[in-house]
Amino acid sequence: MENYPQIEKIYEDIKNLNIQGATNVAISTFEGMKIYIESSRVEEKGEFFSELFEIGNQLAQARDNEPLARNGVTYIKHFFGQKFSVLPELSAMKQEFTRLCNEYLDMIEDTKEELLEKNTPNFLNFDKILTHCHSSTAVSLIKSIGRGDRNFEVVCTETRPRFQGRKTVQSLIDSKIKTTLIADSAAESFAIGRGSVPIDSIFIGCDQITAKGHTINKIGSWGIAMAAHYAGKPVYVVTPLLKVDSNSFLESVKIEVRESKEIWEDAPKGLHMFNPAFEIVDNVLITAYLTEFGMVLPTNVENVVKEHYPWILDK
């Protein structure tokens, strides 16, 4: 990517968390691919094809837990291959690749709208929700459920060390939803009913779904889900199934570990720190996934993906 400084910057911005959120990473991945499509001077079709997907894969794999972007690269390669059994002229390749990039990004937005439409009516009786970290999709559903309900209230964790929970709080406050912010360490107490707000349920987003329906979300999610499980409170993961990583299983998931300075920038010399960004929430702790296909049990995730997104399996 040294010949494409704009693409190199996108890669560094994803790597360094200047670009956050699965949707934004996917958008940036395809932005980089489209920059290559528009600016590449490669004239040999095979070389152009190889370089384009090399760039797409590098961007999509800049961080460990970003299957939404990686599945997008798979989508483009799969449907391009379905349309062309041999490589067409370079101009036709560029036109089709650009169209497929835009088509996948439109699909991401469409799944979010379908998710809201199919799940909101089923949760209008929920008044007190706890959420952890910032998921634009989960927040959108929470706001849709709580719209116009004066008794509705959300409890948000601050989400150390980068405080992503403050984004959630701001979004909810802007929508005039009653919101309580708590420290991460208070979340389990709230989940079991010992906080200042009597929690009905837990709503979280996710960064990755394994083939067997386990989810990978912000560190701290397992403890909250376990506490909710103990207290008999439902735990819902709000996400499109475009985040399924069909090649990942519980024993093979790689968790992103971030720099120690996020925790303590001026730490004493000799102090060991470990800063995992995510963790696995076991499928037995998840009541259901709330998806673009409605409510999906963790044990049925793989079947639903095979039915609706079989191309995800094309690795």
Side-chain angles (χ1 to χ4, degrees):
M1 288 190 289
E2 61 274 7
N3 296 325
Y4 301 95
Q6 289 176 284
I7 300 175
E8 180 65 34
K9 184 177 187 308
I10 292 171
Y11 177 84
E12 293 298 328
D13 282 343
I14 295 172
K15 192 80 174 174
N16 296 326
L17 304 180
N18 296 324
I19 297 171
Q20 294 186 40
T23 299
N24 290 331
V25 171
I27 290 171
S28 299
T29 295
F30 296 124
E31 180 184 340
M33 292 179 75
K34 287 193 282 187
I35 289 171
Y36 176 80
I37 292 168
E38 294 167 3
S39 60
S40 172
R41 296 182 181 178
V42 172
E43 296 182 356
E44 201 279 314
K45 294 185 293 185
E47 183 181 355
F48 175 87
F49 183 93
S50 297
E51 284 195 1
L52 174 65
F53 284 101
E54 180 182 353
I55 285 170
N57 286 322
Q58 283 181 312
L59 293 173
Q61 294 172 18
R63 292 173 59 195
D64 290 323
N65 305 106
E66 296 293 346
L68 185 65
R70 295 199 295 270
N71 285 339
V73 176
T74 298
Y75 178 90
I76 292 166
K77 195 170 189 176
H78 175 87
F79 285 100
F80 182 87
Q82 277 201 340
K83 185 169 183 176
F84 300 106
S85 57
V86 296
L87 296 179
E89 293 300 316
L90 200 57
S91 59
M93 289 177 65
K94 291 182 177 182
Q95 183 177 359
E96 182 64 10
F97 281 133
T98 300
R99 187 190 71 78
L100 287 170
C101 285
N102 293 333
E103 185 174 86
Y104 186 74
L105 292 174
D106 288 341
M107 182 187 298
I108 292 174
E109 292 306 310
D110 290 343
T111 59
K112 289 185 177 181
E113 292 179 13
E114 291 165 6
L115 187 153
L116 297 182
E117 181 181 327
K118 292 185 178 177
N119 292 286
T120 298
N122 298 324
F123 294 92
L124 296 178
N125 61 329
F126 282 46
D127 281 330
K128 313 295 180 187
I129 291 175
L130 170 66
T131 189
H132 179 55
C133 201
H134 181 73
S135 160
S136 60
T137 306
V139 170
S140 294
L141 181 58
I142 290 170
K143 290 195 289 188
S144 182
I145 294 168
R147 188 172 293 116
D149 184 352
R150 293 184 178 181
N151 295 320
F152 191 77
E153 185 171 1
V154 183
V155 175
C156 302
T157 56
E158 58 186 349
T159 322
R160 290 178 180 267
R162 296 184 70 91
F163 300 101
Q164 298 102 315
R166 295 178 184 178
K167 294 181 181 179
T168 300
V169 167
Q170 190 62 61
S171 180
L172 294 170
I173 291 294
D174 289 345
S175 295
K176 304 191 184 310
I177 289 178
K178 187 177 180 181
T179 305
T180 297
L181 179 67
I182 61 172
D184 292 353
S185 54
E188 288 84 358
S189 289
F190 273 75
I192 64 172
R194 295 177 183 170
S196 62
V197 179
I199 296 300
D200 296 326
S201 60
I202 315 298
F203 279 43
I204 59 173
C206 80
D207 292 83
Q208 182 176 343
I209 308 168
T210 74
K212 297 303 180 183
H214 308 286
T215 201
I216 291 85
N217 195 49
K218 180 67 182 179
I219 191 76
S221 298
W222 184 89
I224 296 170
M226 188 64 187
H229 183 72
Y230 170 84
K233 303 286 178 66
V235 176
Y236 297 105
V237 180
V238 186
T239 180
L241 292 186
L242 291 172
K243 290 184 181 179
V244 167
D245 184 344
S246 62
N247 288 334
S248 66
F249 295 87
L250 191 62
E251 64 277 5
S252 63
V253 172
K254 185 177 181 181
I255 298 295
E256 178 181 335
V257 178
R258 294 180 184 164
E259 292 180 319
S260 297
K261 67 179 182 181
E262 279 190 352
I263 301 176
W264 193 354
E265 189 167 0
D266 300 318
K269 291 183 179 179
L271 174 65
H272 176 72
M273 291 186 284
F274 184 64
N275 184 25
F278 307 107
E279 66 181 348
I280 298 167
V281 180
D282 302 81
N283 55 14
V284 296
L285 302 178
I286 299 167
T287 305
Y289 285 88
L290 305 183
T291 78
E292 64 271 39
F293 307 110
M295 191 179 296
V296 177
L297 296 177
T299 52
N300 202 33
V301 163
E302 191 171 19
N303 291 332
V304 175
V305 169
K306 285 179 180 178
E307 178 182 357
H308 294 282
Y309 300 139
W311 51 267
I312 284 181
L313 308 176
D314 182 9
K315 302 297 184 184

